[in-house]
Amino acid sequence: METLIIGCGIAGASAALRLSDDPSQHITIITRAPDPEDSNTSWAQGGIVTRGLDDNPSLLVEDIVRAGAGLSSRQAAYVLATEGPKLVQSVLVETCGVQFDRADDGELVYGLEAAHSRRRVVHKGDKTGAVITRQLLLTLQARPNITLLTDHTAVDLMVHDGHCVGATVLNRQTGEIEPVLAHHTILATGGVGQLFRNTTNPAGARGDGVAMAMRAGATISNAEYIQFHPTAMYINEHPFPLVSEAVRGEGAILLTPDGRRFMLDVDPEWKELAPRDVVARAIYSEMKLNGYEHVWLDIASQRSPDYIRERFPQLVENCAKAGIDPTCDPIPVVPAAHYFCGGISVDLWGQTSVAGLYAIGEVSCTGLHGANRLASTSLLEGLVWGDRAARDILTRDTYHLPRIIPPFTSDADPEFDIQQMMGFLQNLMWEHVGLMRDETGLRQAHQHIQWLRKQVEKQYRYSRPTDALIGLRNAAQVAGLITDAALQNQTSTGAHYRTDSVRERLHVS
Ligand code: SIN
């Protein structure tokens, strides 16, 4: 049987690995990036949640539900908490050879992040995502029944008699669009951060999977819940480099330019380690009310230079590029779009509402993250649902594949400025569909997005799509989806905050 996997971060790679254990399966995994290591997974710094020393699955479930503002699915959280730690050991450590940080006595070192009641995040310095990605790719490239294609952008899903039978794919090297037929298709395309002016996400996080699934008729849920990370480094570089929450986990404090530790007032119990939505909104409010360009994150006054260099090498590298030394200077930080808590609705096996189509990782919505994701659960979610979707596919019967003729296209209008349109969309989303929303702003955004989508569709219909045009089309469609969901939901919960709503949640409990 043929399976097409779109995206090769931890979710796609974990699905490919499990499927490839069965030699009768053939797996094609595609990524639009020229380098397969260039995924959101690679950029993850903090680490991956597992079971800490004084921990158990029920404690993790409670933390997930509390951080998710009560909207998280307990069933999904339970699956994650029970299956996740075993897969970290069997897939990442034993099969792929990932070596997490250990103390001198050989015991794993567990990190702490916001809204976790226990230390339970295993890591490799602050380069965990990069190390996991490299080891996963090395392992899957050695499997004879996996074909990995880089520089290939999925254009649209192909649906025949209500069953997804693969996707049309743009080969970016030749410019040709080709159908890739598959009995099962897995979307593992990641998130939507690039729809916003300020983001921590790489170029591919532009909603491709969600948009393709919508066009194929799949159900989408919780689209209003965009998680903004509180601490992106405010420097002249886009996307802004992430400053991991683990830095606050190890004691860093947030200060206004005049030295006020504002989180003491916002959440006296959890302080800088309150859930992300609370901390991000507190920073944003300080900036808006007082006209600050950024706030400061100070680890230097809390930890020794040697500790900072050893625990956070990526942070030290990123800071050095901007002329900052975090072992003695505070770091300028702002909130930035980071994670899509909503996505393509799936069951506990990653199956969408379209037969033959699965969605896993950030592109999917199991309900796990509710209204605000708990830190460092995203890599684990990709690992667990990659494995689950593959196991489900292995139980399915073969579906007879039809013959597909590739679509005809002609050349694009050279006057159409894709980058300018994308910039316009990113500003619009940041200003009106960002950390604080209201009806007037959302309606304005809705109108502009409608206009933009018309322009893009006109261009798209008559031209040979490029990767950039495909991305803009998807981004505009998903921006419309998020804006409309935010308009409809008048209640502030978790990451969705309406300044014109009466109910709000500022504290953890
Ligand atoms: C971080 O290290 O702060 C990001 C990890 C995550 O998004 O869970």
Side-chain angles (χ1 to χ4, degrees):
M1 272 207 295
E2 293 286 334
T3 299
L4 170 65
I5 302 178
I6 304 172
C8 74
I10 190 168
S14 132
L17 280 183
R18 171 67 71 209
L19 282 166
S20 69
D21 288 340
D22 177 345
S24 71
Q25 302 290 320
H26 182 258
I27 303 106
T28 303
I29 179 162
I30 66 166
T31 169
R32 60 173 288 286
D35 176 356
E37 288 192 27
D38 184 11
S39 67
N40 224 346
T41 296
S42 239
W43 289 26
Q45 295 181 11
I48 184 164
V49 161
T50 184
R51 186 173 170 164
L53 287 179
D54 54 349
D55 203 4
N56 64 54
S58 309
L59 290 171
L60 177 55
V61 169
E62 289 316 312
D63 287 354
I64 289 171
V65 173
R66 192 178 51 234
L71 292 194
S72 298
S73 152
R74 279 182 180 274
Q75 262 189 318
Y78 184 75
V79 166
L80 184 94
T82 49
E83 295 183 12
K86 292 179 203 151
L87 290 169
V88 169
Q89 179 62 25
S90 64
V91 177
L92 297 185
V93 176
E94 288 164 20
T95 307
C96 299
V98 175
Q99 296 189 351
F100 293 109
D101 286 345
R102 289 180 185 270
D104 292 342
D105 62 3
E107 286 302 320
L108 283 166
V109 178
Y110 297 98
L112 181 66
E113 290 185 37
H116 282 276
S117 61
R118 294 288 183 285
R119 283 191 169 264
R120 53 164 80 98
V121 183
V122 288
H123 48 80
K124 183 74 186 165
D126 56 355
K127 298 189 177 187
T128 316
V131 170
I132 288 178
T133 304
R134 197 165 315 130
Q135 294 304 115
L136 277 168
L137 287 171
L138 279 174
T139 312
L140 70 81
Q141 278 162 341
R143 302 266 168 120
N145 52 348
I146 299 180
T147 307
L148 171 63
L149 301 173
T150 54
D151 256 327
H152 281 66
T153 303
V155 182
D156 261 313
L157 297 166
M158 300 186 296
V159 180
H160 179 76
D161 278 348
H163 191 110
C164 182
V165 292
T168 48
V169 174
L170 168 71
N171 178 336
R172 295 177 67 185
Q173 304 279 352
T174 63
E176 294 302 321
I177 293 183
E178 296 144 10
V180 177
L181 282 165
H183 300 96
H184 298 100
T185 304
I186 303 181
L187 291 169
T189 49
V192 303
Q194 282 286 330
L195 271 55
F196 295 83
R197 184 175 69 216
N198 294 357
T199 183
T200 59
N201 291 179
R206 53 190 195 184
D208 285 3
V210 174
M212 285 189 285
M214 283 172 80
R215 293 193 292 269
T219 308
I220 315 290
S221 38
N222 292 4
E224 64 272 46
Y225 300 113
I226 305 291
Q227 179 170 75
F228 294 87
H229 197 288
T231 57
M233 201 184 296
Y234 183 63
I235 57 171
N236 194 12
E237 187 183 312
H238 280 277
F240 290 143
L242 176 72
V243 182
S244 173
E245 200 155 60
V247 181
R248 274 174 286 131
E250 299 307 333
I253 54 174
L254 286 161
L255 300 168
T256 58
D258 57 2
R260 188 164 40 87
R261 192 174 166 196
F262 53 94
M263 284 310 298
L264 292 181
D265 294 328
V266 175
D267 195 321
E269 186 188 348
W270 290 77
K271 307 178 193 75
E272 279 82 1
L273 291 179
R276 279 190 188 162
D277 60 314
V278 177
V279 183
R281 211 157 36 240
I283 296 175
Y284 190 74
S285 302
E286 288 290 342
M287 290 167 55
K288 279 271 165 194
L289 282 174
N290 302 305
Y292 305 144
E293 267 188 65
H294 61 81
V295 297
W296 296 105
L297 182 72
D298 172 22
I299 181 76
S301 67
Q302 308 295 316
R303 291 284 187 169
S304 71
D306 283 350
Y307 177 85
I308 296 169
R309 280 189 213 103
E310 192 188 337
R311 175 68 179 86
F312 300 115
Q314 186 69 58
L315 174 71
V316 172
E317 253 173 57
N318 290 343
C319 282
K321 283 189 218 148
I324 300 165
D325 179 355
T327 67
C328 49
D329 303 324
I331 306 158
V333 292
V334 291
H338 183 64
Y339 192 88
F340 192 31
C341 300
I344 305 163
S345 311
V346 293
D347 66 14
L348 289 176
W349 296 93
Q351 169 73 59
T352 71
S353 56
V354 176
L357 180 65
Y358 292 76
I360 53 177
E362 186 171 355
V363 74
S364 70
C365 182
T366 57
L368 172 68
H369 304 304
N372 173 59
R373 180 174 63 85
L374 180 68
S376 284
T377 50
S378 54
L379 294 181
L380 193 64
E381 180 191 28
L383 187 66
V384 168
W385 268 274
D387 186 76
R388 286 199 140 227
R391 283 195 279 145
D392 195 64
I393 287 171
L394 292 171
T395 65
R396 302 276 170 161
D397 292 334
T398 311
Y399 178 84
H400 179 71
L401 292 174
R403 192 169 158 263
I404 304 275
I405 316 240
F408 170 78
T409 50
S410 58
D411 282 333
D413 171 2
E415 298 297 309
F416 189 82
D417 192 332
I418 296 174
Q419 266 197 334
Q420 194 185 40
M421 292 270 195
M422 192 70 180
F424 172 75
L425 183 68
Q426 289 166 331
N427 280 326
L428 193 67
M429 293 297 283
W430 182 255
E431 295 302 334
H432 297 305
V433 199
L435 285 96
M436 292 188 181
R437 303 157 172 181
D438 64 25
E439 177 161 357
T440 313
L442 289 168
R443 288 208 182 281
Q444 270 180 35
H446 171 88
Q447 273 183 354
H448 286 300
I449 292 166
Q450 294 279 89
W451 170 84
L452 184 87
R453 285 193 65 191
K454 274 198 196 122
Q455 311 305 309
V456 177
E457 279 306 322
K458 224 188 299 170
Q459 175 71 2
Y460 186 83
R461 198 161 314 134
Y462 300 111
S463 59
R464 179 186 294 277
T466 58
D467 173 72
L469 182 58
I470 292 165
L472 176 63
R473 180 185 185 222
N474 290 336
Q477 184 169 358
V478 177
L481 168 85
I482 294 168
T483 305
D484 292 351
L487 252 176
Q488 270 161 29
N489 186 349
Q490 293 170 18
T491 306
S492 293
T493 316
H496 172 59
Y497 188 86
R498 291 274 301 250
T499 54
D500 51 357
S501 125
V502 280
R503 208 188 119 209
E504 64 185 75
R505 184 192 72 140
L506 286 176
H507 302 293
V508 185
S509 47

